[in-house]
Amino acid sequence: MDTITKNDLTALRNLIVSDIENLLKSKPANSREDEEFGWMRSKVIRRKLNISASTLQNLRITGKIRFKKLLGSYYYNCEDLQHLFDYGKE
């Protein structure tokens, strides 16, 4: 059995830190996958449309957009949002 040295632990630490950095860098790509799926979280919608939480809530309450509540988070249908803003352009 080999002895673990400080250098081995340092190398392992550097590898773990590198892996975490790569995961954090790839996170925005994952949000694009959510869009392809057709549903996005409230935070993403508010950031993209530059609207407040209350405006998004108002759209939800008035039935202008479909939503799903899953484990305390609201998800909104991308297609409904697109139709809502396309309607305003006509």
Side-chain angles (χ1 to χ4, degrees):
M1 189 164 134
D2 293 331
T3 305
I4 298 175
T5 65
K6 275 188 168 183
N7 289 338
D8 294 332
L9 293 174
T10 302
L12 178 62
R13 179 184 157 276
N14 290 336
L15 181 63
I16 291 171
V17 168
S18 174
D19 288 346
I20 291 172
E21 286 174 349
N22 290 336
L23 287 172
L24 291 174
K25 288 177 185 175
S26 70
K27 186 164 174 67
N30 292 341
S31 66
R32 289 188 197 108
E33 289 174 9
D34 292 342
E35 291 176 34
E36 291 172 10
F37 181 68
W39 294 86
M40 289 190 289
R41 291 185 70 174
S42 301
K43 187 175 184 179
V44 175
I45 297 289
R46 290 194 328 259
R47 190 177 329 125
K48 282 185 165 230
L49 300 178
N50 194 26
I51 59 175
S52 67
S54 59
T55 299
L56 188 56
Q57 179 184 12
N58 200 11
L59 291 171
R60 183 178 73 235
I61 290 171
T62 57
K64 294 182 179 177
I65 55 175
R66 286 183 287 173
F67 68 94
K68 302 265 185 205
K69 186 173 183 181
L70 182 65
L71 299 175
S73 295
Y74 286 98
Y75 292 84
Y76 298 90
N77 186 278
C78 300
E79 188 177 314
D80 286 354
L81 290 164
Q82 187 64 42
H83 289 302
L84 181 68
F85 289 100
D86 286 343
Y87 177 75
K89 292 179 182 178
E90 295 174 356

